[in-house]
Amino acid sequence: MRTVGVEEELLVVDPSGRPVPLGPAALEVAARRGEGETVDEHDRAARDDEAGGADPAARLVPELKAQQLEFGTRVCTGLDDVAADLRHWRERADAAARGVGARVAALASSPVRVEPRTTPGERYTEMADTFGLTAAEQLTCGCHVHVAVADDEEGVAVLDRIRVWLPVLTALTANSPFWLGRDSGHASYRAQAWNRWPSSGPNELFGDAAAYHRLVRELLATETIVDTGMVYFDARLSERWPTVEVRVADVALRAEDAVTLAGLVRGLVDTAAGEWRAGVPAPAVRSEVVRMAAWRASRSGLTGDLVHPATGRPAPAAQVVTALLEHVRPALAAAGDERRVADGVAVVLDRGTGADLQRRVFADTGDLTAVVRAAVEATHT
């Protein structure tokens, strides 16, 4: 069974529901408890590591903005372990934040207006200086899922075959309808803000590992991105681990939705690897079409049509999500995940995404800080 791990970024907020730049202070609390890395430790590791970051596993670490915390689960075999780790580290992040008078919320963007503050450190300062307003406004929280692959050749074969399905994951996890004090009109505005980075988004087919690594070298040769940690493809090979990393999801408001995402991503990876071994070619869909599908998924989430990967035409979101589930169902069954993931998908389709909940709270209260407070509670359910 392929192992899986999840990284989550969380928003640090005060009791009233406003983001506060207390992430570094909360990390000091966590470090004293042996549960986190201070900003200085993380920056030293980032500068020593050309991948641009320290080991993300099972501890709290800083992110680009001081209004954030990040953690990673252990390398897990079963989804029960993923769920337990997600809940554990969400609680430990909250405990660290409480130590400095704050809380954490699994929100992919700030509903209320805030001035994002860059976390101290050489790498983050270089990013802020290099990328101007793109970096200055980049207060977004994502969820990244790592799934084990045998080697880079299998990993690139997987990347080539999962790319058409990634917009569906964006729609399922949409949790950022508000952007700095107003409704963005998108279910996942994080996806729009994130795609301002020059190295982000979908790729053309690579074909093999040599082509993938050649592209990464060519990007670095432009001297635009600061290191390989800024290769922000929708899905990429991990620099540090034998995994494929899928990066298109908003952080999920509820931990169980993140578990569903992890199961789907593992199913996609295993299905794609099986197709490659069987000689099934990767779908020959241009990156412009994948980008268009991703934009539509970001815009409407599950409330409108999505672009169906099999046809390239619009179809109701529930139909496209069901097609994804059917595509990976044999892999889910082989991993023992079929019932849990199918039930999780059904719950999201029935209840709605985090974006839907946020908008319902705002419709009821007219108060964006109430949206944040509701998100704090949902983060820990």
Side-chain angles (χ1 to χ4, degrees):
M1 187 182 299
R2 294 177 190 273
T3 56
V4 60
V6 178
E7 299 170 67
E8 285 195 328
E9 298 156 355
L10 302 171
L11 200 62
V12 180
V13 301
D14 67 18
S16 73
R18 297 185 179 278
V20 286
L22 294 176
L27 286 170
E28 295 284 350
V29 173
R32 290 196 293 270
R33 296 170 176 167
E35 297 174 340
E37 236 179 34
T38 66
V39 170
D40 287 344
E41 290 169 338
H42 191 75
D43 188 54
R44 284 197 300 273
R47 286 183 279 116
D48 290 341
D49 178 3
E50 68 173 9
D55 178 356
R59 65 174 178 267
L60 300 173
V61 296
E63 246 301 328
L64 176 62
K65 295 304 178 184
Q67 291 94 340
Q68 293 176 284
L69 289 174
E70 181 181 354
F71 70 83
T73 70
R74 297 167 295 165
V75 177
C76 299
T77 301
L79 293 186
D80 284 346
D81 293 334
V82 174
D85 262 26
L86 286 171
R87 292 188 170 91
H88 172 81
W89 284 106
R90 285 185 177 208
E91 291 306 316
R92 299 322 299 158
D94 197 54
R98 284 177 184 267
V100 294
R103 301 291 305 275
V104 294
L107 289 167
S109 64
S110 173
V112 301
R113 182 168 293 279
V114 60
E115 187 68 33
R117 186 179 300 178
T118 300
T119 299
E122 184 176 311
R123 182 172 184 267
Y124 290 147
T125 298
E126 183 179 0
M127 290 172 66
D129 291 344
T130 301
F131 294 99
L133 200 59
T134 294
E137 293 186 344
Q138 195 62 236
L139 180 56
T140 61
C141 296
C143 177
H144 305 157
V145 180
H146 289 256
V147 178
V149 289
D151 52 32
D152 284 0
E153 289 298 341
E154 183 180 68
V156 170
V158 165
L159 296 179
D160 282 351
R161 287 161 177 79
I162 67 173
R163 56 199 280 274
V164 296
W165 292 103
L166 299 184
V168 190
L169 301 181
T170 299
L172 269 170
T173 61
N175 188 30
S176 48
F178 299 106
W179 182 254
L180 304 182
R182 61 179 294 180
D183 193 313
S184 67
H186 289 257
S188 172
Y189 195 72
R190 180 206 61 85
Q192 300 301 313
W194 186 256
N195 280 325
R196 298 177 190 173
W197 294 112
S199 55
S200 65
N203 307 100
E204 289 294 344
L205 297 176
F206 295 109
D208 56 34
Y212 177 93
H213 291 299
R214 185 165 55 249
L215 174 60
V216 171
R217 289 194 299 271
E218 290 172 357
L219 293 179
L220 289 170
T222 70
E223 299 184 5
T224 303
I225 56 177
V226 303
D227 52 37
T228 54
M230 285 197 69
V231 176
Y232 289 153
F233 301 159
D234 285 349
R236 67 185 185 184
L237 301 181
S238 170
E239 285 285 327
R240 292 181 59 88
W241 311 109
T243 66
V244 163
E245 180 188 4
V246 172
R247 304 169 49 83
V248 295
D250 283 6
V251 67
L253 192 56
R254 299 170 178 84
E256 188 60 30
D257 290 353
V259 177
T260 299
L261 170 70
L264 286 169
V265 173
R266 179 160 66 177
L268 276 169
V269 170
D270 205 43
T271 300
E275 290 174 340
W276 172 61
R277 289 192 299 270
V280 178
V285 178
R286 289 185 60 99
S287 62
E288 294 92 340
V289 176
V290 179
R291 185 178 294 277
M292 196 75 69
W295 189 94
R296 288 194 67 150
S298 164
R299 178 70 171 84
S300 60
L302 299 179
T303 63
D305 287 349
L306 299 175
V307 176
H308 199 300
T311 66
R313 300 293 185 268
Q319 179 180 326
V320 178
V321 171
T322 299
L324 167 61
L325 191 59
E326 292 306 312
H327 176 67
V328 301
R329 193 178 289 277
L332 296 178
D337 296 341
E338 183 178 9
R339 174 61 64 85
R340 184 170 195 160
V341 173
D343 287 351
V345 168
V347 167
V348 175
L349 288 173
D350 181 61
R351 176 246 292 148
T353 63
D356 297 323
L357 180 139
Q358 289 189 54
R359 283 179 166 139
R360 286 197 297 270
V361 173
F362 184 66
D364 290 343
T365 66
D367 180 3
L368 288 173
T369 60
V371 174
V372 179
R373 294 192 299 272
V376 170
E377 296 307 311
T379 298
H380 306 290
T381 58

